[in-house]
Amino acid sequence: MKILVADDSRVMRQIVIRTLRQAGFEDHDIVEAPDGAAAQDTVASENPDLVLSDWNMPNMSGIELLHALRASGNTVPFAFVTSECSDEMIAKAEAGGALFLISKPFTAETFRERLSDILG
């Protein structure tokens, strides 16, 4: 399976990837994108099984990415990994078709709990 990690912080992408591996998902292919626009292109070219996206990114935010993917008919499972997690953001994410939000800081256990059903 393939996971796309989209975050404008290279360090945060590495932390998410390390946490995925610590959570037991080390056998999955992981691709990265530095913003929502690049992530949209990567979804088209790489066809990931899951997108983990930051909310606030330049060029195209995570919620804009989610809306663009759904508007194009793409139903890839999508979740947010973000430092902000207000009730309003959760409502917007769910309305847009996101599975959930994981707030920073997060743990390998959080990733295991949230992703085991999706990634097996």
Side-chain angles (χ1 to χ4, degrees):
M1 295 188 84
K2 189 177 294 186
I3 303 166
L4 168 60
V5 177
D7 198 302
D8 55 313
S9 166
R10 186 185 64 76
V11 171
M12 187 51 63
R13 290 194 309 267
Q14 294 304 312
I15 291 169
V16 170
I17 291 166
R18 183 181 73 229
T19 306
L20 283 166
R21 298 196 190 301
Q22 291 171 342
F25 304 114
E26 64 276 350
D27 294 336
H28 299 319
D29 292 329
I30 299 175
V31 292
E32 300 177 53
D35 60 46
Q40 187 176 19
D41 293 340
T42 304
V43 168
S45 64
E46 297 285 339
N47 195 28
D49 299 291
L50 174 66
V51 175
L52 295 177
S53 177
D54 188 20
W55 189 285
N56 293 308
M57 297 182 287
N59 301 318
M60 179 186 281
S61 70
I63 194 70
E64 290 170 335
L65 170 62
L66 176 58
H67 290 161
L69 291 174
R70 295 304 185 250
S72 71
N74 190 307
T75 60
V76 62
F78 193 105
F80 289 99
V81 179
T82 184
S83 55
E84 302 170 49
C85 196
S86 69
D87 290 342
E88 180 184 350
M89 289 174 72
I90 293 169
K92 282 184 180 178
E94 290 175 353
L99 299 173
F100 52 80
L101 276 82
I102 293 175
S103 59
K104 302 172 189 172
F106 46 78
T107 64
E109 182 60 32
T110 302
F111 273 40
R112 240 188 323 277
E113 288 173 7
R114 295 295 186 101
L115 299 173
S116 60
D117 289 345
I118 300 163
L119 298 174

